[in-house]
Amino acid sequence: MKLLVTAGPTREAIDPVRFISNRSSGKMGYAVASAAAGKGHEVRLISGPAAIEVPEGISIVTRVVSATEMLASVHANVDWCDALVMSAAVADMRPAETSSSKIKKDGSTRTLKLEPTEDILLSIASLKHDRVFVGFAAETERLEENARQKLEAKGLDLIVANDVSATDAGFEVDTNRVSLIERNGSVEKWGLQSKSEIADRIVKWIEDYISSRRSQSSS
Ligand code: CTP
């Protein structure tokens, strides 16, 4: 299988020294890339700024900073893949203007005007065909309901939902507690596990999904 994985946060520049971003460490996406490479799959990783060593066996690593760069890199690679795991926490908003020089303080209150970034998954919906698209949902409330809405709106096969308000799961830590919601409506709740265990199981889910579709189409 050819697997494209996105990981980490994106950074949206305010000026040459400041940016807005989020708490994503990239651990979950790197764990998925590592699990897939360990099982002999071809993996391309698109990574936002993350302080993690690239796992062995990844064929191509593209480093990006902003949501716009991640969008361009996903577009350049999506045709190649059989499956995409979009675990990056892409910034939804960016400063409407980026200053080319450092903004100096002058004691006054400032307002930062933000504009929406493009939704990467929505932008590639027409390129899906028989590719498997897996998304992540970071939620702090109504986990299943919100995640299911994202699965439908973004045309995904699977969404991995996590409650990012817990302290032992979600952003930054090595463990996570996720629910897997499939397109057919089935929901599986997994207890607290390491991100590498979750990654192994997500890769297994994709392998099984692809092989069950193959056997359905050949019967
Ligand atoms: N995503 C994306 N492009 C964006 C934002 C998110 O492709 N501009 C992807 C993420 O990589 C993830 C999924 O969409 O796989 C859901 O991301 P999430 O941050 O949970 O939700 P949003 O769609 O950004 O919605 P909201 O922030 O309102 O919860």
Side-chain angles (χ1 to χ4, degrees):
M1 161 170 84
K2 291 176 177 161
L3 184 69
L4 182 62
V5 181
T6 68
T10 65
R11 286 182 183 170
E12 311 303 321
I14 297 170
D15 70 12
V17 296
R18 305 180 181 97
F19 55 81
I20 53 171
S21 189
N22 58 63
R23 287 177 51 209
S24 168
S25 60
K27 285 179 177 172
M28 196 60 248
Y30 276 63
V32 171
S34 173
K39 287 177 148 191
H41 297 298
E42 251 185 278
V43 181
R44 289 186 184 178
L45 174 64
I46 302 172
S47 175
I52 308 181
E53 245 180 73
V54 174
E56 269 175 45
I58 313 282
S59 3
I60 295 186
V61 181
T62 306
R63 294 195 181 272
V64 299
V65 176
S66 65
T68 305
E69 289 172 12
M70 187 167 281
L71 173 84
S73 185
V74 169
H75 277 256
N77 286 283
V78 69
D79 281 346
W80 165 85
C81 76
D82 301 310
L84 164 70
V85 176
M86 193 72 201
S87 42
V90 187
D92 290 317
M93 304 295 285
R94 68 174 155 240
E97 280 167 22
T98 302
S99 171
S100 57
S101 54
K102 187 183 173 198
I103 300 167
K104 304 301 281 182
K105 62 174 178 276
D106 61 7
S108 65
T109 304
R110 287 175 181 273
T111 304
L112 184 61
K113 193 171 169 197
L114 300 176
E115 64 181 20
T117 58
E118 198 169 347
D119 190 289
I120 299 176
L121 281 171
L122 282 181
S123 76
I124 54 170
S126 65
L127 306 172
K128 186 174 185 302
H129 308 295
D130 58 359
R131 295 187 176 86
V132 181
F133 281 3
V134 176
F136 275 71
E139 306 295 344
T140 55
E141 57 191 356
R142 297 198 301 277
L143 182 77
E144 265 179 42
E145 182 190 331
N146 286 338
R148 194 181 301 282
Q149 267 175 15
K150 286 177 189 172
L151 173 126
E152 275 159 26
K154 302 186 190 220
L156 305 175
D157 298 281
L158 175 74
I159 193 148
V160 181
N162 56 190
D163 179 351
V164 290
S165 61
T167 51
D168 56 354
F171 289 138
E172 294 161 321
V173 293
D174 290 323
T175 48
N176 210 352
R177 192 182 292 105
V178 299
S179 295
L180 263 71
I181 302 170
E182 297 183 28
R183 189 193 274 250
N184 68 11
S186 81
V187 181
E188 245 184 73
K189 283 187 186 167
W190 294 351
L192 191 72
Q193 296 171 89
S194 70
K195 286 186 176 172
S196 66
E197 280 173 286
I198 293 174
D200 277 338
R201 292 177 71 177
I202 291 171
V203 172
K204 173 88 172 47
W205 185 94
I206 299 169
E207 290 169 345
D208 291 348
Y209 187 71
I210 290 176
S211 62
S212 78
R213 280 200 323 198
R214 275 204 195 112
S215 57
Q216 269 167 23
S217 65
S218 64
S219 62

